[in-house]
Amino acid sequence: MKKKVIVVGAGLGGLSAAIRLSADGYDVTVVEKSERIGGKLNIRSGKGFSFDTGPSILTMPWVLEQLFDSAGRNIHDYLTIERIEPQWRTFFQDGTQIDLTSDLPRMLQQLQELAPEDIEGFFDYLSYANKMYESNLKSFYKKSLSGLHDLRTMHTVKELLQMDPMRSMDATTRKYFSNKHLRQLFNFLIMYIGSSPYHAPAVLTQLAHVQLGLGIYYVKGGMYKIAEAMDKLLQELGVTVHLNTPVKEITTSGAKATGITLENGENLSADIVVSNLEAIPTYRYLLKKHAQAAKQTQQLAKFEPTVSGLVLLLGVNKQYKQLQHHNFFFSKDQKEEFDTIFNKGQVAMDPTIYIGVSSKSDSTQAPEGKENLFVLTHVPPLKEGDDWAALKDRYRDVVLKKLEAMGLEDLRSSIEFEYTFTPNDIQELYGANGGSIYGVATDRKKNGGFKIPARSQLLSNLYFVGGSTHPGGGVPMVTLSGQLTADAINEDFQIPRMQKDIG
């Protein structure tokens, strides 16, 4: 008889786990409180403008290819994935502009004009980043790690030392670059996972290889097409997905989960429960009746939430020729900015601002002659009792004034459509701890750079997927978490991969 699995939450981690487990022969049911699947990968539209409300950059598309291949499908039959160049256009307050690109001659031309003394360091930096990525392919991207012990079983001592465990990402950047703008640009790659380059370990320099070596991508029609493709595959596999179905609690007996109770009082039994809700909120809210849940939450305190964000969806009645698909308007002092957000827990009054304009690559996303601006500014995660209602309008003004000062003329007067997400909205919509965008912060001193283990330490058949668990936040990582957690389940239940025919 097939093992029954209930997946709580239809974010990318939950959907990925559901696909893999169904393909491996489990009887899978997904329950989602919202009206749509996708979690933070979602959509909103109005007045002819379309917006991806969450992730706007796709990296490591091999993760999606691997997922669909595990179910006997080809992802490219479901999606059109296009490479984006230049990858980022970056703006600095002294007027410097750098296009981050995999076009090596173009990149070298910019370096020659800006900092010729850093050209040799640039090549050494890329080599270092590639080595870090290759090291991670042996472990980080291969198995759901629970900590240093797992890592030691997959690497020699020499390999572990080559990962520079005592060095921060910022220290690595400073080693290879003397120019302050290049340091700031490459340090900011860490914001793919919502952490600080001053806290994160050097191994995350691999993000430079992920970006420049592997490239960044866009899904034609919008990033939400990823969720739609997964939904189509789930239907083909016969997985049941219940929308508008909030979960009240995970039911237990002894050291095992027995299923879930819905808000409407209905009970669903399961042999295995997979939570796409972050681990700490799962213990805090879905297992609050369990005698050991509070203790388990306390033990996970070292896994602090990543940054949250103020998101402005702006449909404007003009086109800004200086913008590319992805743009960053940097702060004047990066160290002060990160110190303010990560150490002081305060909003930065000179923040780095990201603007995604998917209509630059996809004309379906905005009316002719107009543009859809996805504006994201990172802010500290919520503390208990924080409410952005009073701060929202003031901080919106800080963001828009800065953008106008850095060249986006008449931005405020050009807005035809606007929608705002605050940290409180992110917390309420997705159950994210502190309104975290990327799950758990990577901090080499507090948690060794690891995430919360996929296997629950409280219940033997409860598992986690998503940004709070290994390997972390971002589209490829949360999608990979579902696959790696499925591997862990197969290992625990001694079920071989691909035990049934697909189709």
Side-chain angles (χ1 to χ4, degrees):
M1 179 179 287
K2 291 183 178 181
K3 296 283 186 184
K4 292 180 64 176
V5 179
I6 290 178
V7 178
V8 179
L12 292 185
L15 296 175
S16 175
I19 289 169
R20 263 292 314 276
L21 292 169
S22 178
D24 289 351
Y26 296 83
D27 179 3
V28 182
T29 298
V30 180
V31 292
E32 166 59 46
K33 73 171 184 176
S34 301
E35 62 182 359
R36 283 193 298 268
I37 65 168
K40 293 171 190 152
L41 180 75
N42 226 295
I43 54 173
R44 186 166 290 272
S45 60
K47 296 187 177 180
F49 299 95
S50 296
F51 301 88
D52 289 303
T53 61
S56 58
I57 298 176
L58 175 63
T59 60
M60 296 168 58
W62 65 261
V63 173
L64 289 173
E65 293 170 346
Q66 175 178 275
L67 173 64
F68 276 67
D69 183 65
S70 72
R73 308 300 202 274
N74 185 335
I75 182 66
H76 300 288
D77 293 334
Y78 296 75
L79 295 174
T80 300
I81 300 174
E82 303 172 337
R83 189 159 178 156
I84 298 297
E85 291 287 355
Q87 299 173 341
W88 293 358
R89 174 157 288 175
T90 61
F91 300 85
F92 297 84
Q93 294 188 25
D94 63 1
T96 299
Q97 182 178 305
I98 304 172
D99 282 351
L100 187 60
T101 175
S102 292
D103 181 346
L104 194 56
R106 171 60 182 147
M107 198 67 201
L108 290 176
Q109 179 187 353
Q110 293 180 97
L111 290 174
Q112 184 64 45
E113 295 170 357
L114 177 67
E117 68 278 8
D118 281 339
I119 290 177
E120 183 177 348
F122 173 68
F123 282 107
D124 291 340
Y125 175 78
L126 292 183
S127 177
Y128 179 91
N130 176 63
K131 289 177 182 176
M132 291 298 180
Y133 178 78
E134 292 294 332
S135 293
N136 276 259
L137 284 176
K138 295 182 63 175
S139 55
F140 192 81
Y141 299 140
K142 192 174 182 179
K143 180 179 180 180
S144 189
L145 304 178
S146 60
L148 185 57
H149 172 74
D150 286 345
L151 204 61
R152 284 172 174 162
T153 66
M154 304 181 78
H155 289 281
T156 65
V157 172
K158 181 180 178 181
E159 288 173 338
L160 291 173
L161 292 176
Q162 287 174 341
M163 292 183 188
D164 275 356
M166 304 307 293
R167 190 194 299 269
S168 71
M169 185 175 175
D170 171 69
T172 303
T173 308
R174 285 187 285 110
K175 176 182 176 181
Y176 292 105
F177 298 105
S178 60
N179 182 272
K180 65 178 182 179
H181 293 324
L182 294 175
R183 288 179 176 179
Q184 186 167 12
L185 191 163
F186 288 111
N187 264 347
F188 211 79
L189 290 169
I190 194 65
M191 294 310 277
Y192 275 122
I193 58 172
S195 302
S196 167
Y198 304 97
H199 298 165
V203 69
L204 286 169
T205 302
Q206 68 173 292
L207 291 169
H209 177 74
V210 169
Q211 175 117 359
L212 293 171
L214 305 182
I216 68 170
Y217 298 82
Y218 170 72
V219 178
K220 191 172 179 62
M223 294 285 284
Y224 191 72
K225 294 293 182 182
I226 296 172
E228 292 178 347
M230 289 187 180
D231 187 36
K232 183 179 179 182
L233 179 51
L234 286 169
Q235 292 178 41
E236 293 171 1
L237 294 173
V239 173
T240 301
V241 179
H242 296 293
L243 301 177
N244 299 302
T245 307
V247 175
K248 182 178 181 181
E249 67 176 320
I250 295 172
T251 55
T252 65
S253 177
K256 286 192 173 183
T258 57
I260 60 173
T261 300
L262 305 179
E263 288 285 359
N264 65 11
E266 183 180 356
N267 292 302
L268 300 178
S269 63
D271 300 300
I272 300 163
V273 176
V274 177
S275 180
N276 195 183
L277 181 63
E278 289 184 24
I280 289 175
T282 296
Y283 288 123
R284 187 173 289 156
Y285 302 115
L286 298 187
L287 286 164
K288 59 186 177 183
K289 291 184 180 179
H290 196 288
Q292 299 299 314
K295 181 180 179 181
Q296 189 65 32
T297 302
Q298 188 176 15
Q299 291 175 347
L300 296 176
K302 66 180 179 179
F303 297 103
E304 297 180 350
T306 70
V307 290
S308 187
L310 178 70
V311 178
L312 306 176
L313 307 180
L314 307 178
V316 297
N317 61 13
K318 63 189 297 185
Q319 294 180 329
Y320 288 99
K321 303 299 183 184
Q322 68 269 48
L323 296 180
Q324 290 288 334
H325 190 139
H326 302 295
N327 311 270
F328 287 87
F329 292 78
F330 282 120
S331 61
K332 186 175 182 179
D333 187 333
Q334 184 182 70
K335 191 168 186 178
E336 180 181 339
E337 177 189 13
F338 277 95
D339 181 60
T340 300
I341 295 173
F342 286 89
N343 298 331
K344 298 177 181 176
Q346 301 171 358
V347 295
M349 298 314 291
D350 176 25
T352 294
I353 304 166
Y354 165 75
I355 301 182
V357 193
S358 61
S359 58
K360 293 286 187 184
S361 303
D362 187 346
S363 62
T364 67
Q365 301 297 290
E368 186 176 355
K370 303 178 182 182
E371 290 183 331
N372 63 334
L373 274 57
F374 173 93
V375 182
L376 169 64
T377 308
H378 288 126
V379 301
L382 296 169
K383 304 182 189 72
E384 192 71 31
D386 281 355
D387 188 348
W388 263 74
L391 181 58
K392 178 176 70 172
D393 290 340
R394 295 203 309 273
Y395 204 59
R396 170 191 181 273
D397 203 43
V398 168
V399 171
L400 298 185
K401 278 184 176 179
K402 172 171 179 170
L403 292 174
E404 289 180 334
M406 293 185 70
L408 299 192
E409 295 181 0
D410 304 318
L411 175 58
R412 282 173 289 183
S413 62
S414 301
I415 297 171
E416 287 189 351
F417 173 86
E418 181 171 358
Y419 195 90
T420 303
F421 290 95
T422 69
N424 296 98
D425 295 323
I426 295 169
Q427 184 177 58
E428 181 179 348
L429 286 168
Y430 310 118
N433 187 28
S436 167
I437 294 177
Y438 310 96
V440 167
T442 303
D443 190 311
R444 63 193 180 93
K445 293 184 178 179
K446 291 182 179 178
N447 52 40
F450 293 98
K451 307 299 181 185
I452 296 174
R455 294 176 172 92
S456 169
Q457 304 301 300
L458 188 63
L459 302 172
S460 63
N461 59 339
L462 171 64
Y463 299 83
F464 299 105
V465 293
S468 71
T469 194
H470 182 86
V475 173
M477 295 298 98
V478 296
T479 304
L480 188 56
S481 79
Q483 299 173 60
L484 297 182
T485 296
D487 287 338
I489 291 171
N490 285 336
E491 181 181 328
D492 293 347
F493 286 83
Q494 299 181 335
I495 295 177
R497 282 278 293 115
M498 300 297 289
Q499 66 177 33
K500 69 163 192 172
D501 292 333
I502 305 299

Coordinates of all heavy atoms in Angstrom, one line a residue, residues 188 327-331 337 350-355 374-378 398-403 406:
F188 N 27.0 42.3 -2.8 CA 25.5 42.4 -2.8 C 24.9 41.1 -3.4 O 23.7 40.9 -3.3 CB 25.0 43.6 -3.5 CG 23.7 44.1 -2.9 CD1 23.7 44.8 -1.8 CD2 22.5 43.8 -3.5 CE1 22.5 45.2 -1.2 CE2 21.3 44.2 -3.0 CZ 21.3 44.9 -1.8
N327 N 17.9 46.0 -12.0 CA 18.6 47.2 -11.7 C 18.8 47.3 -10.2 O 17.9 47.0 -9.4 CB 17.8 48.5 -12.2 CG 17.4 48.3 -13.7 OD1 18.1 48.7 -14.6 ND2 16.2 47.8 -13.9
F328 N 20.0 47.9 -9.8 CA 20.2 48.1 -8.4 C 20.7 49.5 -8.2 O 21.7 50.0 -8.9 CB 21.3 47.1 -7.8 CG 20.7 45.7 -7.7 CD1 20.7 44.8 -8.7 CD2 20.2 45.3 -6.4 CE1 20.2 43.5 -8.5 CE2 19.7 44.1 -6.3 CZ 19.7 43.2 -7.3
F329 N 20.1 50.3 -7.3 CA 20.5 51.6 -7.0 C 21.2 51.5 -5.6 O 20.5 51.3 -4.6 CB 19.3 52.6 -7.0 CG 18.8 52.8 -8.3 CD1 18.0 51.9 -9.0 CD2 19.1 54.0 -9.0 CE1 17.5 52.1 -10.2 CE2 18.6 54.2 -10.3 CZ 17.8 53.3 -10.9
F330 N 22.5 51.6 -5.5 CA 23.2 51.3 -4.3 C 23.3 52.4 -3.3 O 23.2 53.6 -3.7 CB 24.7 50.8 -4.7 CG 24.8 49.4 -5.2 CD1 25.3 49.2 -6.4 CD2 24.4 48.4 -4.4 CE1 25.4 47.9 -6.9 CE2 24.5 47.1 -4.9 CZ 25.0 46.8 -6.1
S331 N 23.4 52.0 -2.1 CA 23.7 53.0 -1.0 C 25.0 53.6 -1.1 O 25.9 53.0 -1.8 CB 23.5 52.3 0.4 OG 24.5 51.3 0.5
E337 N 25.0 50.5 5.8 CA 23.6 50.0 5.5 C 23.4 48.6 6.1 O 22.4 48.4 6.8 CB 23.5 49.9 4.0 CG 22.2 49.3 3.5 CD 22.1 49.0 2.0 OE1 23.2 49.1 1.3 OE2 21.0 48.8 1.5
D350 N 19.4 55.3 3.8 CA 20.0 55.3 2.4 C 20.1 53.8 2.0 O 21.1 53.2 1.9 CB 21.3 56.0 2.4 CG 22.0 55.9 1.1 OD1 21.3 55.8 0.1 OD2 23.3 56.0 1.0
P351 N 18.9 53.3 1.6 CA 18.9 51.8 1.2 C 19.4 51.5 -0.2 O 19.3 52.4 -1.1 CB 17.4 51.5 1.4 CG 16.7 52.7 1.0 CD 17.6 53.9 1.5
T352 N 19.8 50.3 -0.4 CA 20.0 49.8 -1.8 C 18.6 49.4 -2.3 O 17.9 48.7 -1.5 CB 20.9 48.6 -1.8 OG1 22.3 49.1 -1.4 CG2 21.0 48.0 -3.2
I353 N 18.3 49.8 -3.5 CA 16.9 49.6 -4.0 C 17.0 48.7 -5.3 O 17.8 49.1 -6.2 CB 16.2 50.9 -4.3 CG1 16.1 51.8 -3.1 CG2 14.8 50.6 -4.9 CD1 15.8 53.2 -3.4
Y354 N 16.3 47.7 -5.4 CA 16.2 46.8 -6.6 C 15.0 47.2 -7.4 O 13.9 47.4 -6.8 CB 16.1 45.4 -6.2 CG 15.7 44.5 -7.4 CD1 16.6 44.2 -8.4 CD2 14.4 44.0 -7.4 CE1 16.1 43.4 -9.5 CE2 14.0 43.2 -8.5 CZ 14.9 42.9 -9.5 OH 14.5 42.1 -10.6
I355 N 15.1 47.3 -8.7 CA 14.0 47.5 -9.6 C 14.0 46.5 -10.7 O 15.0 46.4 -11.4 CB 13.9 48.9 -10.2 CG1 13.9 50.0 -9.2 CG2 12.7 49.1 -11.1 CD1 13.8 51.4 -9.8
F374 N 8.9 46.7 -10.4 CA 8.8 45.9 -9.2 C 10.0 46.5 -8.3 O 11.1 46.3 -8.6 CB 9.0 44.5 -9.4 CG 9.2 43.6 -8.2 CD1 8.1 43.0 -7.6 CD2 10.5 43.4 -7.6 CE1 8.3 42.2 -6.4 CE2 10.6 42.7 -6.5 CZ 9.5 42.1 -5.9
V375 N 9.6 47.2 -7.3 CA 10.6 47.9 -6.4 C 10.7 47.3 -5.1 O 9.7 47.2 -4.4 CB 10.2 49.4 -6.3 CG1 11.3 50.2 -5.4 CG2 10.0 50.1 -7.6
L376 N 11.9 46.8 -4.8 CA 12.1 46.1 -3.5 C 13.2 46.7 -2.7 O 14.3 46.9 -3.2 CB 12.5 44.6 -3.8 CG 13.0 43.8 -2.6 CD1 11.9 43.6 -1.5 CD2 13.5 42.4 -3.1
T377 N 12.9 47.0 -1.5 CA 13.9 47.5 -0.5 C 14.0 46.6 0.7 O 12.9 46.3 1.3 CB 13.6 48.9 -0.1 OG1 13.4 49.8 -1.2 CG2 14.7 49.5 0.7
H378 N 15.1 46.1 1.0 CA 15.3 45.2 2.1 C 15.2 45.9 3.5 O 15.8 47.0 3.6 CB 16.6 44.4 2.1 CG 16.5 43.3 1.0 ND1 17.5 43.2 0.0 CD2 15.7 42.3 0.8 CE1 17.2 42.2 -0.8 NE2 16.1 41.6 -0.3
V398 N 10.9 57.8 1.2 CA 12.4 57.7 1.2 C 12.8 57.0 -0.1 O 13.8 57.5 -0.7 CB 12.9 56.9 2.5 CG1 14.3 56.6 2.3 CG2 12.6 57.8 3.7
V399 N 12.2 55.9 -0.4 CA 12.6 55.1 -1.6 C 12.4 55.9 -2.9 O 13.3 55.9 -3.7 CB 11.8 53.8 -1.6 CG1 12.0 53.0 -2.9 CG2 12.2 52.9 -0.4
L400 N 11.2 56.4 -3.0 CA 10.9 57.1 -4.3 C 11.7 58.4 -4.5 O 12.1 58.7 -5.6 CB 9.4 57.4 -4.4 CG 8.5 56.2 -4.4 CD1 7.0 56.6 -4.6 CD2 8.9 55.2 -5.5
K401 N 12.0 59.1 -3.4 CA 12.8 60.3 -3.5 C 14.2 59.9 -3.9 O 14.8 60.6 -4.7 CB 12.8 61.0 -2.1 CG 11.6 61.9 -1.9 CD 11.8 62.7 -0.5 CE 10.7 63.7 -0.3 NZ 10.8 64.4 1.0
K402 N 14.7 58.9 -3.4 CA 16.1 58.4 -3.7 C 16.2 58.1 -5.2 O 17.1 58.4 -5.9 CB 16.5 57.3 -2.9 CG 17.9 56.7 -3.4 CD 18.5 55.6 -2.4 CE 19.8 55.1 -3.1 NZ 20.6 54.3 -2.1
L403 N 15.2 57.3 -5.7 CA 15.2 56.9 -7.1 C 15.1 58.2 -8.0 O 15.7 58.2 -9.1 CB 14.0 56.0 -7.4 CG 14.1 54.6 -6.7 CD1 12.9 53.8 -6.9 CD2 15.3 53.9 -7.2
M406 N 18.4 59.8 -8.2 CA 19.4 59.1 -8.9 C 19.0 58.9 -10.4 O 19.5 58.0 -11.1 CB 19.7 57.7 -8.3 CG 20.4 57.9 -6.9 SD 20.9 56.3 -6.1 CE 22.2 55.8 -7.2

